[in-house]
Amino acid sequence: MKNRYLLFLLLSITSFTSRAQWSTATLPSGGRMQLAAAAIADRAVFAGGIGLISIPPDVMDVYNLTFNTWTGGNISQGRNKLAGAANGSFLCFAGGANDWIFAVYDNVDFYNRITNSWSTTALSAARYSLSGAAAGSKMLFAGGMDNNGTYFTTVDIYDTTTSAWTTAALSAGRGNLASATTPTHAFFAGGEDANGASDVVDIYAASTGTWTTAQLSAPRTNLGGAACGSKVYFAGGVSGATASNKVDIYDLTTNTWTTDTLSVARQFVMVSSVGKYVLFAGGADANGFTAYDVVDILDTATGTWTTATLASARFAGAIASIGNKVIIAGGAGSTGFPVATAEIYTLNTTGLFIPEAAEGLLVYPNPSNGLMNINTSSLTGDSKVEIYTLQGQLVYDNTFTGNPSNIQLNLSDLSAGEYLVKVSDEKGVRTEMVQIQ
């Protein structure tokens, strides 16, 4: 019965269209391609990459969501083809290369939000074109290659609860693979080895520390990946001389794979999600000569697609989601020159399933450790709060009387994962997707 009720709730409120807008910002550290991105709390960080000169600069650009500002900074070593990941209070940029001097790096630039400090450590093996992800309490840096023709199976894993590094192995060594992150699982898909493009998907379950494998619908490298709710998406890529328009979709709740298609076949597509939307931005043709400005946008609630246009065509940039924004930074244009801007897609509300009348409801911090607030200044009368798992199980139910302006919740006893917060008052129902880490 709960499942049917939740389904009705989702169908009834997703009929409203979330409004969004695009804006453009200039990167403080200049244009770069082959950079990496990661987001933590109210900051999105874009690190490394290579610009107009052959030597990668040791720079990063930081977007602050709270103040809507950009600042520049530095990493320990200038490098491109590095990987980023973030989890809880920690953020890392790992590996990378300097093609000008044929150098490969094991550097890990490590940010601790609690102490607001940066430090450096090292991967177990130097490599570039690796991929970063997070799940549970872990950050993982998987695969990659070096200049000796080695395609690594190595996965370096940092545990944010024990501050310890361990290693694991992919089922097949490869570089230029894509990753996707859910609260419970990390996915590493596709890529390439000495024999060409791969169709392998390695799946890490954080709760057990175990690995399983799956297969993409077709082998490809230079693809993009992201998660939204209980689904992960791997899009585009190239195999041989053919770019792909395939989108492979895995549903964690049903353990099934389906496929969809992009409007334009392309590699180096940049993929991220915000609210109920997944954005597939930019990319290049199979030869890397033509950059695309198309953005395919999937509404995961309705399964419908729309398109938008970037102000600057680009590929091999970096993409990050923070709050109600997706930021697409840097990359290479069709001329081959690096792009010095970031394009920002902003939802007018951060909710996954929020109707127009519910705008103004704020659940924060999100993600959180279970301690969160609901700003109810837009509500009228008593407020009923219900919290559901994505499978429709009711895990919290309480009514707050007297028209409170703020409700404090302690949900630290809930397992890490994503939940739907449903708030009802005299004017109706509104919901917000929250993540507990």
Side-chain angles (χ1 to χ4, degrees):
M1 183 67 181
K2 292 175 183 175
N3 280 327
R4 283 199 292 260
Y5 172 76
L6 183 58
L7 178 61
F8 172 78
L9 169 67
L10 297 181
L11 290 175
S12 63
I13 60 185
T14 53
S15 60
F16 295 86
T17 302
S18 295
R19 298 189 303 269
Q21 61 187 13
W22 288 90
S23 58
T24 303
T26 300
L27 297 175
S29 302
R32 285 119 55 214
M33 54 186 170
Q34 299 175 345
L35 63 164
I40 181 173
D42 64 345
R43 298 177 187 181
V45 185
F46 301 87
I50 188 166
L52 285 173
I53 60 174
S54 300
I55 300 174
D58 61 346
V59 296
M60 64 180 173
D61 295 301
V62 182
Y63 173 74
N64 188 306
L65 178 66
T66 301
F67 299 104
N68 191 30
T69 57
W70 287 85
T71 55
N74 298 94
I75 55 177
S76 62
Q77 173 65 56
R79 57 202 197 271
N80 57 317
K81 303 176 185 175
L82 66 169
N87 196 335
S89 298
F90 304 97
L91 176 150
C92 288
F93 292 102
N98 180 339
D99 296 336
W100 181 248
I101 59 173
F102 303 103
V104 182
Y105 299 105
D106 62 6
N107 294 53
V108 179
D109 289 272
F110 189 96
Y111 177 67
N112 184 327
R113 186 171 65 90
I114 299 172
T115 60
N116 190 30
S117 61
W118 287 86
S119 59
T120 58
T121 184
L123 296 172
S124 62
R127 56 201 197 271
Y128 62 90
S129 294
L130 66 168
S131 190
S137 63
K138 311 292 199 306
M139 285 187 288
L140 304 92
F141 295 95
M145 61 183 78
D146 64 17
N147 290 330
N148 299 315
T150 301
Y151 293 88
F152 288 86
T153 62
T154 307
V155 184
D156 287 278
I157 304 174
Y158 179 77
D159 191 324
T160 61
T161 60
T162 64
S163 301
W165 286 89
T166 57
T167 59
L170 298 174
S171 62
R174 55 203 196 274
N176 289 317
L177 60 170
S179 64
T181 289
T182 74
T184 58
H185 291 77
F187 297 78
F188 300 96
E192 64 188 75
D193 59 20
N195 297 315
S198 171
D199 63 0
V200 175
V201 183
D202 288 282
I203 306 171
Y204 173 77
S207 60
T208 59
T210 56
W211 293 82
T212 55
T213 60
Q215 286 183 303
L216 297 173
S217 59
R220 53 201 198 272
T221 185
N222 298 336
L223 66 168
C228 185
S230 62
K231 294 181 179 179
V232 295
Y233 302 81
F234 295 106
V238 65
S239 181
T242 304
S244 175
N245 66 354
K246 289 183 178 294
V247 182
D248 286 273
I249 306 169
Y250 176 69
D251 190 328
L252 271 168
T253 60
T254 61
N255 191 30
T256 57
W257 288 86
T258 56
T259 60
D260 211 323
T261 55
L262 300 173
S263 63
V264 177
R266 56 203 194 267
Q267 62 172 325
F268 297 117
V269 61
M270 296 161 282
V271 187
S272 191
S273 66
V274 59
K276 62 176 180 175
Y277 301 100
V278 186
L279 277 68
F280 305 83
D285 64 1
N287 297 315
F289 295 147
T290 300
Y292 294 111
D293 60 6
V294 64
V295 184
D296 291 296
I297 304 173
L298 173 63
D299 183 331
T300 62
T302 63
T304 56
W305 292 82
T306 55
T307 59
T309 303
L310 296 173
S312 299
R314 65 185 78 203
F315 66 94
I319 189 168
S321 178
I322 180 170
N324 63 335
K325 301 178 186 294
V326 169
I327 304 174
I328 304 150
S334 291
T335 62
F337 290 104
V339 181
T341 60
E343 302 194 38
I344 305 168
Y345 177 84
T346 303
L347 288 179
N348 287 351
T349 173
T350 60
L352 180 62
F353 302 107
I354 302 183
E356 303 274 350
E359 293 181 3
L361 180 70
L362 177 65
V363 183
Y364 66 96
N366 187 14
S368 79
N369 61 2
L371 302 177
M372 61 180 61
N373 298 272
I374 303 176
N375 185 318
T376 56
S377 57
S378 63
L379 305 183
T380 302
D382 297 345
S383 300
K384 182 177 177 61
V385 177
E386 299 167 275
I387 299 177
Y388 293 85
T389 68
L390 296 186
Q391 291 73 44
Q393 179 186 3
L394 180 66
V395 294
Y396 180 91
D397 184 359
N398 199 4
T399 299
F400 298 85
T401 60
N403 195 23
S405 61
N406 189 77
I407 294 172
Q408 294 181 321
L409 301 178
N410 184 349
L411 307 175
S412 56
D413 58 333
L414 296 181
S415 300
E418 292 176 309
Y419 296 86
L420 283 170
V421 178
K422 174 195 168 192
V423 180
S424 309
D425 72 336
E426 294 177 357
K427 295 186 291 185
V429 176
R430 55 212 68 186
T431 66
E432 177 86 10
M433 173 75 85
V434 299
Q435 179 176 323
I436 296 177
Q437 297 179 331

